[in-house]
């Protein structure tokens, strides 16, 4: 059974930082592209960042580019998202997602086919507020 367990969220002031983690199991992590998505209250899903299976190719949405960094540790089957220079508009539940198949290529968020991705975990809440 595929499991994705996000952690690391919390309450932070504007300009602050957080590091999110997604511990995975139940599939060959090192063979799959991974992504972070977020959902603010009352809004749809926003694809934030994507990383290829090896970790050498990353993409970001315009809204987080230059502030967030996605990374992965294939030995630990764990995905990360470093959030810096946080803004109030970054407040959302953050989820990790996996590519459905190892053949799914990492693409910029605006080019993703969401049907190629599945299985978000329970999410971790990030709240940016003074």
């Amino acid at each position: 059974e595929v499991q994705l367990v996000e952690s690391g969220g919390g309450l932070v002031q504007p300009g602050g930082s957080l590091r999110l983690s997604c511990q995975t199991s139940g599939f060959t992590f090192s063979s799959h592209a991974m992504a972070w998505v977020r959902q603010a209250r009352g809004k749809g899903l926003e694809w934030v960042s994507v990383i290829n299976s090896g970790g050498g190719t990353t993409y970001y949405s315009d809204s987080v580019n230059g502030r967030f960094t996605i990374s992965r540790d294939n030995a630990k089957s764990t995905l990360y998202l470093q959030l810096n220079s946080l803004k109030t508009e970054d407040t959302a539940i953050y989820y990790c997602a996996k590519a459905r198949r190892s053949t799914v290529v990492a693409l910029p968020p605006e080019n993703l086919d969401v049907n190629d991705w599945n299985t978000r975990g329970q999410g971790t809440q990030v709240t940016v507020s003074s």
Side-chain angles (χ1 to χ4, degrees), residues 2-129:
V2 172
Q3 290 194 329
L4 306 175
V5 180
E6 300 93 341
S7 62
L11 173 63
V12 63
Q13 292 186 340
S17 297
L18 285 172
R19 189 193 195 201
L20 308 184
S21 299
C22 174
Q23 179 67 56
T24 76
S25 61
F27 67 103
T28 306
F29 180 78
S30 60
S31 296
H32 287 73
M34 298 290 295
W36 286 97
V37 300
R38 68 184 181 184
Q39 187 166 27
R41 186 187 299 272
K43 296 188 177 181
L45 286 175
E46 178 187 7
W47 290 79
V48 171
S49 185
V50 185
I51 189 168
N52 73 335
S53 59
T57 300
T58 58
Y59 298 102
Y60 301 91
S61 66
D62 289 344
S63 61
V64 308
N65 194 28
R67 300 187 298 118
F68 292 7
T69 303
I70 190 172
S71 62
R72 63 192 296 161
D73 185 334
N74 284 348
K76 296 182 178 179
S77 297
T78 303
L79 179 72
Y80 302 100
L81 187 68
Q82 178 68 40
L83 290 65
N84 296 331
S85 302
L86 281 161
K87 305 175 181 180
T88 56
E89 52 263 43
D90 294 319
T91 296
I93 300 175
Y94 285 70
Y95 303 89
C96 61
K98 67 174 283 292
R100 287 185 181 275
R101 302 171 302 278
S102 60
T103 53
V104 172
V105 177
L107 294 171
E110 64 270 22
N111 298 131
L112 287 177
D113 181 349
V114 298
N115 294 314
D116 286 335
W117 295 79
N118 68 356
T119 317
R120 300 173 306 171
Q122 84 289 346
T124 186
Q125 175 72 50
V126 171
T127 302
V128 185
S129 176

